Amino acid sequence: MREPSSTFLTNNQPSGLTECRVGGSLILGSARREGVKPMARPRHAKPLIVDVKRNALDDGPGIRTTIFFKGCPLSCVWCQNPEAISPYSEIMFSPGDCIACRTCMQVCPQGAIDLDRHPSPINRALCQRCGTCADNCPGLGMRRVGKYYSPDELLEVVAKDIPFYRNSGGGVTLSGGEATLYPRYLESFLRGAKSLGIHIALETSGYYYQQEFQRSVLPYLDLIYFDVKILDSYLHRKYTGRSNQLILSNLRALLEYGRVPVLPRVPLVPGITDTPENLRVIAEFLKDIGLKKVALLPYNPMWVAKADNLSKKTAYRYEQWMTPEQKSRCASYFSDLTLEKF
């Protein structure tokens, strides 16, 4: 198999990262082993929404509305939705949509924008994320990432497609980011959604407080997609910023609860999660805890452009789609499990 031809940052590396080699590729990771950190909580109780995607066909059964919450306790170096990591509002510059009218430069109260500055026209040190540039942009060059909906407002949006849910066996999928960061908000929204008979699925990293989750979120769920990224705790912390101890504990607890179907999902990230060692131990672990099915999520490189548009430095860059051969190799480690299409 051809080795990934990833390109990594070698200058201005994040503090605490060290270099190592995986499959001939340079990988950045944590310099030391640490205990499990307490989970960081957003300072505001009102979650922001990155996007409400209607007519979604890839986030569960049937026709669905997928809600992407902003904020995540993990910081995966390959995050597919880098705009959903921070719980706070952000400004994204999309060069392909900019019409170079320079309105943003004229209205920015901080003077933080210069379209002649490269690679990003936004001086992030000066930007206060007020959104004035996005509000006045005649195109979509400047975009505000993150909008608040009250639970009732969000319910009104998803209720528009109830006929499609019912006719297709679909519903609503909670995604992100990590929706479980906001259990009280979810409880209010989900109570209304279930009163309308809407099927609810959750896509989760598994990093949440068990007690709050069981009390406020779990009773309303019909399906859970649970990510299992890396089984080795040290490597998990290296590439996601967190230990996997809480995640694996939460997965076992869900299986003991037994009332909601749980489908584990393994993201296939070249050079990180797709290694034979990692896939082999994940397959064994899933069998050991009694799971019969698994979904494999092939790597999607489209996140790289989004990270660049947010001026986010990336410790990992791999800008190619996985080949059929790479996907088949990964699937071969799960021959004793049923592979679910996702």
Side-chain angles (χ1 to χ4, degrees):
M1 184 192 71
R2 182 181 60 182
E3 295 292 343
S5 56
S6 306
T7 302
F8 298 84
L9 293 178
T10 55
N11 297 318
N12 301 316
Q13 294 174 3
S15 175
L17 294 184
T18 55
E19 299 180 1
C20 65
R21 295 276 169 180
V22 175
S25 297
L26 176 64
I27 302 291
L28 302 183
S30 175
R32 58 187 180 278
R33 296 175 182 266
E34 299 173 299
V36 177
K37 298 178 183 178
M39 192 188 316
R41 285 187 177 276
R43 295 177 184 174
H44 51 77
K46 295 182 176 181
L48 299 180
I49 305 298
V50 172
D51 190 20
V52 179
K53 181 181 178 184
R54 299 171 66 186
N55 194 33
L57 302 176
D58 299 317
D59 297 310
I63 297 173
R64 311 190 69 80
T65 297
T66 304
I67 305 167
F68 293 89
F69 285 80
K70 205 169 186 322
C72 183
L74 304 186
S75 52
C76 302
V77 298
W78 67 85
C79 181
Q80 301 295 286
N81 296 314
E83 73 278 21
I85 296 176
S86 168
Y88 305 109
S89 177
E90 295 177 277
I91 302 298
M92 176 183 285
F93 174 68
S94 178
D97 295 310
C98 178
I99 60 176
C101 66
R102 298 183 177 258
T103 300
C104 55
M105 295 175 59
Q106 299 166 13
V107 301
C108 177
Q110 305 300 323
I113 301 174
D114 180 356
L115 291 179
D116 296 321
R117 180 190 295 118
H118 299 286
S120 173
I122 303 175
N123 185 330
R124 300 289 177 175
L126 295 178
C127 178
Q128 299 296 308
R129 298 174 297 172
C130 66
T132 303
C133 58
D135 294 341
N136 288 275
C137 180
L140 293 174
M142 292 290 179
R143 307 180 192 181
R144 187 199 300 261
V145 182
K147 176 182 178 181
Y148 175 71
Y149 294 79
S150 71
D152 287 342
E153 289 172 335
L154 191 59
L155 183 60
E156 184 178 353
V157 173
V158 304
K160 294 176 181 178
D161 290 332
I162 286 179
F164 297 102
Y165 307 153
R166 290 176 177 168
N167 290 329
S168 68
V172 169
T173 298
L174 309 174
S175 189
E178 179 57 55
T180 62
L181 278 178
Y182 311 102
R184 298 295 177 85
Y185 177 94
L186 287 183
E187 183 176 22
S188 179
F189 167 73
L190 293 175
R191 187 184 298 116
K194 296 310 291 182
S195 72
L196 298 176
I198 298 176
H199 179 278
I200 303 295
L202 170 70
E203 296 178 344
T204 180
S205 69
Y207 203 100
Y208 52 74
Y209 287 111
Q210 181 73 231
Q211 186 174 2
E212 286 186 325
F213 177 80
Q214 289 186 345
R215 179 181 63 244
S216 301
V217 182
L218 186 56
Y220 303 98
L221 299 181
D222 299 295
L223 177 62
I224 298 174
Y225 296 117
F226 197 105
D227 286 359
V228 180
K229 298 176 174 69
I230 303 172
L231 213 60
D232 181 275
S233 182
Y234 172 69
L235 294 178
H236 194 279
R237 178 181 292 279
K238 176 193 290 188
Y239 297 121
T240 74
R242 297 280 183 180
S243 165
N244 62 3
Q245 295 177 28
L246 178 62
I247 295 170
L248 299 181
S249 174
N250 285 340
L251 177 56
R252 290 188 177 96
L254 279 177
L255 298 180
E256 291 176 7
Y257 179 74
R259 298 181 185 178
V260 181
V262 178
L263 178 65
R265 308 185 310 173
V266 182
L268 304 177
V269 183
I272 299 181
T273 69
D274 75 339
T275 65
E277 296 80 10
N278 185 55
L279 297 180
R280 188 178 295 114
V281 294
I282 287 179
E284 289 299 322
F285 168 74
L286 296 179
K287 289 188 293 182
D288 288 346
I289 61 176
L291 286 165
K292 307 296 184 182
K293 300 179 180 180
V294 65
L296 304 182
L297 306 180
Y299 180 74
N300 183 336
M302 294 182 68
W303 68 270
V304 176
K306 292 192 288 184
D308 290 343
N309 291 346
L310 288 166
S311 306
K312 292 191 175 184
K313 295 182 178 180
T314 57
Y316 172 86
R317 294 178 77 91
Y318 183 67
E319 302 186 64
Q320 300 176 30
W321 296 87
M322 296 186 76
T323 66
E325 292 75 20
Q326 286 175 308
K327 296 176 187 178
S328 296
R329 178 189 63 80
C330 292
S332 69
Y333 293 97
F334 298 89
S335 57
D336 292 335
L337 298 168
T338 299
L339 290 177
E340 291 284 309
K341 184 177 180 181
F342 195 87

